[in-house]
Every structure is written in C-alpha cells, then in structure tokens.
Amino acid sequence: MDARDALWMPFTANRAFKKDPKVVAKAKGMILEDESGHKLIDGSAGLWCVNAGHGRKQIAEAVATQIETLDYSSGFQLGTPGAFKVAEKIKALLPEGFGSVFFTNSGSESADTALKIALAYHAAKGDPRRTLLVGRSKGYHGVNFGGLSVGGLPKNKKQFGPLLGNVAHIRDTHDLARNAFSVGQPEHGAEFADDLNRVIAVHGGDAIAAVIVEPMSGSGGVILPPKGYLERLAAICKANGILLIFDEVITGFGRMAAPFGAHHYGVTPDIITMAKGLTNGTIPMGAVACREGIRETIIDSADPGIELFHGYTYSGHPVASAAALATLAIYEEEDLFGHAAKMAPVLEKAVHSLKQSPGVIDIRNDGLVAGIEFEPDAHGAGHRGQAIFNECWKRGVYVRFSGDIIAISPPLIVEEGHIDQIATVLSEAIRAVV
C-alpha cells in the first residue's frame, strides 16, 4: 500500500491523484512550489482564500504570539479579547445597518448558521410558519446538511439520500444564449429573479423564512448576476417579509474589488456569510453577520438564559482571531481591495483575449475573478476541464476547474506580469489539449 493511502482526500479524484500526484510543499507570495521544486503561479488564491498572498510574516507572528499568550478558551459563556476585536473590525467593513457577528469555522458552518438564525428569527417574531428555505440551482453553500440542501449542484447531493425537506430552489442566472462573452455583469436576465414569485405562488410568501444566494456564484462556475437581478430579488424578498442571505464566502474580503459583493453590486441583504479570506486561509474561521434587529429580536423574545442554542467549540477561537486581525490589517495597510480594483480590468482584458481559443464557448468576469467555459469533449462533461487544469500545472500555473469551466481568482497582490503569464499559459494549455 502506498503511504499516501492513509489520506482520503476531499473533493478529489483519488484514483487519478494516485497516478499523478500533485503535492504542494511551499508557498510564498504568488508562488507555489511542489515536492520536486516545480514552481507555479497561484491563479486561484489557494481555494479562493489566500487574498493577501502566501507566507505573510505578519500573520505568522500574530498567531505565534497568540498561542503563547492564550492558545484556547471556550466561547461558551466566556469571551476573549480577539474575538470582540475581530467582530468590531468586520462590522466596520460591512454595509451600513449591520449590527452583530457570529463566529463559525468555515463557509459550510456559516451557511448552516445563517439558515438557523433565519428560522430562529421568524420564530422569535411569532411567525413560526416561516420555515421554507429557498436556494438556487447551481448554488453552492458548503457541504453540511443545511447548505447542501439549499445548494443546487446535483453531484454534491446524489450520494447522500434525502436532505432537508422544507427546501425549494429558483433558477440560476446562467444564460449562454444571450450573455456569452459578457464583459462584467451580463445585460440580460434580471427577470430570472421573478422565479422567486413562482415559489411564493406555490407555498405562500408567508411560509418562506429565507432566500440564500451567492452574489457571484463561484463554485458553480463563476456565474454572474445580470444587471438588476439582485436588486429585483431583494425587492421581492422585502415585499414578502423574507430574509435575504448573501453567501459571501468567496466574494467577501476583496474578491469583487470591494469589501463585500454587497458593496460591489449595491444591494444590501439581511444576513452575510463569510470565511476564506477572513484569515487569508491560514486558520479556519468563518462568520455570519446580521443586520440590526435580528439578534435583538431573538435575544429579547427568549426565556432567561441561553437565547440561541447554537455554536461551535472553536467559535471565535483566539488563535484564529489573531490571524483574522493580522489579515484585516494587511488588507487595510496595503489597500489590497483598491489594488484588486486596479488589476480587475487587466484580468478582464487578458481573459477575453482567449475568446478565439478552440473549444471556448463563454468567458465571464467581474472584480478579480474570471471563468472560461469550454464545450465538453467526447469523453464527457468535466474531462476537458481536468485536462486543461493538468496542462496548466505542467506549464507553471495553478487554476481551478469546475466541470468544463476554468476559474481564475488570483491573490489580490497579483501584478500585471502574473496575469499575463496566467493568460499565456492558459492559451498554450488550451491549444495543447483541445
């Protein structure tokens, strides 16, 4: 047995990996290095999370100091200074009107926490009939049972039998026929938000607790909201007393060249989930932010004692809090959100230069993220995406693939030269494979 057989790798074709293992041993700045010394530009910010680049000494030192000072303390009935400071820093970054932050350990936990808060909020208001949770096809909200249920990626669900029952889905905004090769937000599709009215007609608006969407659907393949779509969705939710949740695990902390996608798209939801970029990927940490009134309603209506029976052993972990504080300081000191805004048009131009490459059927971009969609080959969906990913790796660029879609989301520290090299390697890889 291979020594590596002890590890069951997540979201991995384990048999294929064993034949062609890719093992990252080092990372610094924009560069990854594998066990053999092969260097690659990180075109994916790890997994959409290393926004400030790899190997940041400021974060490492903050973590080391915190471990020596206070390695762990329970978040149940006890507080730590760092958790309060991080919550305050996050609140300062959020759109106006947000009042509280609840800590988790991942995007998956953030999604489930947001859904539970929505249900608890309506119950606290004396409206317990509102229990229906609405997600979107092609949506991704993690892999725990709540987020998996409202998510809309079939392959993520099919092995696990029945999930939550009180769930409905609205259509996604992917529209190749009208929006292929859009630059920035697509022009067509605001009316797709009206699909929520179909669900309302079936179940009643007064039965729906929350609608959860990603402002920009990353894991579903960089699927962008058409102009006016999020505004229309928010208006329908507001008119029917439905909480709107933005899953900003990917879009938060500068990916859209703004603190959050809510800022970039100019639409403020009721709840925002986050993780990934919060600690620059160094230590697991997530959070759920709620607009003013949500926490207060739950607390004020509860019996004496614990008001929300929910939380995690590592909620607001002191070491994760130290990593988050150092990360947020880097974002501010280096104006990385502003730098992302400067690099966004560079990335836009670079990826759209690949329009004539063989097999490409769509290119889409917004902020510092882009997706290139390919026509499936004769081997079936996903084969071409995997092949291009492998070829890019050989040529020194790491990109993400989701089916036959290549996603590019470099760290916010990316420079024009990195983007040029990513585009050049992609062009070469496409022509070598397709």
Side-chain angles (χ1 to χ4, degrees):
M1 179 181 287
D2 190 301
R4 289 176 179 158
D5 282 342
L7 176 63
W8 191 347
M9 297 175 67
F11 274 112
T12 298
N14 282 258
R15 291 168 295 185
F17 179 87
K18 188 173 181 179
K19 295 176 183 177
D20 182 22
K22 298 174 177 64
V23 181
V24 178
K26 298 179 183 178
K28 187 69 176 178
M30 285 288 302
I31 305 301
L32 305 175
E33 185 175 331
D34 72 9
E35 287 182 314
S36 68
H38 177 54
K39 291 182 171 59
L40 308 97
I41 291 178
D42 184 355
S44 299
L47 191 58
W48 310 90
C49 53
V50 188
N51 290 359
H54 295 274
R56 299 302 297 243
K57 187 176 181 180
Q58 188 171 338
I59 301 174
E61 290 178 345
V63 165
T65 298
Q66 183 61 53
I67 290 174
E68 292 176 352
T69 305
L70 174 64
D71 55 353
Y72 176 78
S73 177
S74 171
F76 298 178
Q77 309 291 349
L78 300 173
T80 60
F84 292 113
K85 291 177 182 176
V86 178
E88 187 177 33
K89 291 286 187 182
I90 291 172
K91 184 178 174 181
L93 286 175
L94 289 163
E96 186 177 353
F98 276 76
S100 59
V101 176
F102 190 105
F103 285 116
T104 69
N105 307 289
S106 67
S108 293
E109 289 183 0
S110 292
D112 278 35
T113 297
L115 297 173
K116 291 175 77 174
I117 287 173
L119 294 170
Y121 169 73
H122 288 298
K125 285 183 65 181
D127 201 2
R129 184 169 178 268
R130 287 187 181 271
T131 57
L132 186 69
L133 302 169
V134 179
R136 187 167 60 180
S137 62
K138 296 188 186 295
Y140 178 78
H141 304 292
V143 295
N144 292 345
F145 274 94
L148 198 60
S149 299
V150 295
L153 298 177
K155 286 188 176 180
N156 287 6
K157 301 183 178 191
K158 70 177 185 178
Q159 292 176 299
F160 307 115
L163 300 173
L164 298 186
N166 211 21
V167 169
H169 291 84
I170 57 176
R171 68 150 295 163
D172 59 84
T173 61
H174 195 210
D175 186 355
L176 276 180
R178 295 189 296 169
N179 290 328
F181 301 102
S182 294
V183 176
Q185 278 188 270
E187 294 290 337
H188 307 287
E191 71 278 5
F192 293 154
D194 295 339
D195 196 37
L196 178 56
N197 287 323
R198 172 186 57 82
V199 177
I200 290 171
V202 173
H203 300 278
D206 58 353
I208 302 173
V211 172
I212 183 169
V213 298
E214 303 150 279
M216 180 279 298
S217 181
S219 296
V222 187
I223 300 173
L224 306 174
K227 292 176 181 177
Y229 170 84
L230 292 174
E231 294 89 337
R232 203 152 160 174
L233 189 67
I236 297 171
C237 286
K238 185 175 182 179
N240 289 274
I242 301 166
L243 293 181
L244 177 60
I245 302 170
F246 275 5
D247 186 332
E248 298 233 30
V249 171
I250 285 176
T251 53
F253 304 107
R255 181 54 52 195
M256 308 312 296
F260 289 93
H263 297 96
H264 178 68
Y265 293 116
V267 177
T268 301
D270 299 292
I271 298 175
I272 291 177
T273 70
M274 63 197 81
K276 293 188 183 292
L278 176 55
T279 62
N280 201 43
T282 55
I283 293 179
M285 190 179 204
V288 178
C290 300
R291 66 165 171 78
E292 293 173 355
I294 291 178
R295 177 181 65 172
E296 291 76 11
T297 297
I298 293 171
I299 288 176
D300 292 346
S301 69
D303 294 332
I306 295 170
E307 299 95 1
L308 182 68
F309 283 81
H310 177 70
Y312 303 97
T313 299
Y314 302 119
S315 290
H317 193 289
V319 182
S321 296
L325 285 170
T327 298
L328 296 176
I330 290 170
Y331 293 155
E332 182 178 4
E333 291 163 5
E334 300 182 12
D335 188 24
L336 289 187
F337 302 165
H339 183 70
K342 293 175 183 176
M343 290 297 104
V346 178
L347 179 64
E348 177 175 280
K349 181 179 179 181
V351 295
H352 282 279
S353 73
L354 302 172
K355 181 177 180 179
Q356 302 305 322
S357 298
V360 174
I361 58 175
D362 191 20
I363 296 172
R364 39 194 183 262
N365 72 283
D366 203 4
L368 203 59
V369 62
I372 304 169
E373 185 167 355
F374 296 86
E375 186 176 13
D377 64 18
H379 297 282
H383 180 268
R384 181 164 279 169
Q386 173 89 56
I388 293 170
F389 162 78
N390 288 335
E391 191 65 29
C392 285
W393 180 275
K394 292 176 187 175
R395 294 171 183 266
V397 169
Y398 168 60
V399 293
R400 285 272 300 150
F401 75 98
S402 176
D404 288 308
I405 299 164
I406 296 293
I408 305 166
S409 58
L412 309 186
I413 63 169
V414 70
E415 298 292 348
E416 189 168 350
H418 299 123
I419 293 173
D420 289 344
Q421 189 170 348
I422 291 169
T424 297
V425 167
L426 262 171
S427 177
E428 294 171 351
I430 292 167
R431 295 182 187 282
V433 167
V434 178

